[in-house]
Amino acid sequence: MRSLPELVEFIRVSCKFQNSSITKMEKDLKFANGTVGKWANGKRYPPKDKLLLVADFLQISIEELMGEVPEQKEKPSTLDGIELKNLSPARRALLEALDGMDDENIMKIVRIAQAVKKELPE
């Protein structure tokens, strides 16, 4: 879990990454000017409702905002009946990336792969 100064720094960097700033975020969320700064110096602890608004503004989960590490789910050993452990890391990554995609998008990727394959030397 992040300390308050770490939380504010994370918010600042995240805002910058989105071409925004803490000042703009405070204005957009209708926070009083300087609210987030008061969190950094410990004058005020952020209430959960404001943290939820900040997380939503930054398009991240509250857990990510607070620096909580989610439990890692065990990765499946098969995908559509294919043993993942028998595949190269690149092929495994490709299959995992395709998992959950609709057929139309998968076919777009297949066409890209076919075009790349044609350009490879024999």
Side-chain angles (χ1 to χ4, degrees):
M1 189 139 154
R2 300 184 206 283
S3 67
L4 288 177
E6 290 170 337
L7 172 66
V8 172
E9 179 63 11
F10 179 81
I11 293 170
R12 185 190 69 73
V13 170
S14 298
C15 283
K16 188 174 181 178
F17 181 73
Q18 294 186 358
N19 295 317
S20 190
S21 66
I22 287 178
T23 304
K24 181 175 179 343
M25 180 191 71
E26 287 175 334
K27 184 177 178 183
D28 290 353
L29 297 177
K30 298 181 177 30
F31 291 0
N33 192 24
T35 296
V36 176
K38 290 177 184 171
W39 299 346
N41 62 28
K43 289 188 177 179
R44 185 165 294 150
Y45 193 82
K48 188 166 184 171
D49 63 325
K50 289 200 186 295
L51 291 173
L52 289 168
L53 290 170
V54 170
D56 188 54
F57 179 87
L58 297 174
Q59 300 175 344
I60 59 174
S61 69
I62 187 75
E63 292 81 13
E64 186 176 352
L65 176 65
M66 299 307 294
E68 296 172 2
V69 179
E71 283 187 32
Q72 294 291 327
K73 294 181 183 176
E74 189 174 320
K75 289 190 175 184
S77 61
T78 63
L79 185 63
D80 289 336
I82 298 170
E83 286 287 333
L84 296 177
K85 67 182 179 181
N86 297 333
L87 298 174
S88 69
R91 290 172 193 263
R92 188 176 323 124
L94 178 60
L95 279 177
E96 288 173 351
L98 295 175
D99 190 34
M101 276 192 192
D102 60 42
D103 286 345
E104 182 180 344
N105 284 316
I106 290 173
M107 287 310 299
K108 288 178 185 176
I109 293 169
V110 167
R111 286 190 289 279
I112 292 169
Q114 289 170 336
V116 169
K117 187 175 179 180
K118 286 180 183 176
E119 294 178 12
L120 296 176
E122 291 187 34

